[in-house]
Amino acid sequence: MAGKREEARDNGRGVVISNHWPGYDLDLFTYPRHYYGDLNYVLIPHGVIVDRIEKLAKDIMNDIGYSDIMVLCVLKGGYKFCADLVEHLKNISRNSDTFISMKVDFIRLKSYQNDQSMGDMQIIGGYDLSQLAGKNVLIVEDVVGTGRTMKSLLDKIEKYKPNMIKVASLLVKRTPRSDSFRPDYTGFEIPDLFVVGYALDYNEYFRDLNHICVISEQGKAKYRV
Ligand code: IMP
Ligand code: MG
């Protein structure tokens, strides 16, 4: 048992969800009626997501407290994670002697259509990366799949010489297609499944779902473009 506990301890991979994890039956939770039939199961319930983010905020505060940081939320999928993370950072800041002075900004990237990466990452809406020069940047991302999106964003930002860049990703997928990029802070390591909910989408659907769920074949077919 001690060995098992040892494995489960935080080793930078976050909460590790195994490939055998059956998830939770959808009937055990509430979710919007318009998604009945479009999901297979709940992978991570909303409450667990928020509890895990509270600990990530504490870890971040321990590492980079006492500094000014620019939180860079990667839209659209990162907005829920970013909002809850900033909320926890604010709570710690006002209830302890450690504090972070934060600015929050948003960048929009696009790389996926249906459940496939389109390869090339694009910054949409003309975000001016030069404003990150000399700053302590905390990138907040929903999920690292192959890692290509994050690598290409980091390459672009590094050209403008920020003082520090850290990456927090709510999810990291275990996939053979991974280029082995690892965020500094990881919420959960998950199997190679396409997941939706908690702001993660499939062609813009499912952002209005609280839990992180695995989409069904019916769901994929219904919202395919
Ligand atoms: P990567 O370039 O393969 O690492 O993909 C990263 C981006 O693809 C993320 O920022 C997400 O926006 C999107 N993505 C990857 N996997 C999923 C998923 O399972 N659900 C929703 N979006 C995903
Ligand atoms: Mg994303």
Side-chain angles (χ1 to χ4, degrees), residues 74-75 77-78 141-143 149:
V74 180
L75 294 174
E141 167 70 308
D142 54 356
V143 42
T149 303

Side-chain angles (χ1 to χ4, degrees), residues 173-214:
K173 281 190 200 180
R174 272 190 309 280
T175 162
R177 287 165 288 113
S178 164
D179 65 2
S180 74
F181 170 79
R182 286 270 165 196
D184 300 283
Y185 304 98
T186 300
F188 301 84
E189 184 190 280
I190 64 167
D192 193 6
L193 298 163
F194 198 82
V195 293
V196 293
Y198 194 74
L200 281 85
D201 74 309
Y202 175 84
N203 296 328
E204 301 299 329
Y205 288 91
F206 302 103
R207 294 198 205 274
D208 56 338
L209 170 70
N210 270 352
H211 316 293
I212 293 180
C213 298
V214 177

Side-chain angles (χ1 to χ4, degrees), residues 28 31 91 97 99 104 152 158 173 185:
L28 297 169
Y31 66 104
N91 284 342
D97 295 331
F99 64 95
V104 184
S152 95
E158 272 159 10
K173 281 190 200 180
Y185 304 98

Side-chain angles (χ1 to χ4, degrees), residues 75 108-113 120-124 204:
L75 294 174
R108 193 157 165 216
L109 310 180
K110 193 158 179 69
S111 55
Y112 267 58
Q113 192 167 69
D120 205 28
M121 184 279 283
Q122 296 166 286
I123 296 177
I124 312 173
E204 301 299 329

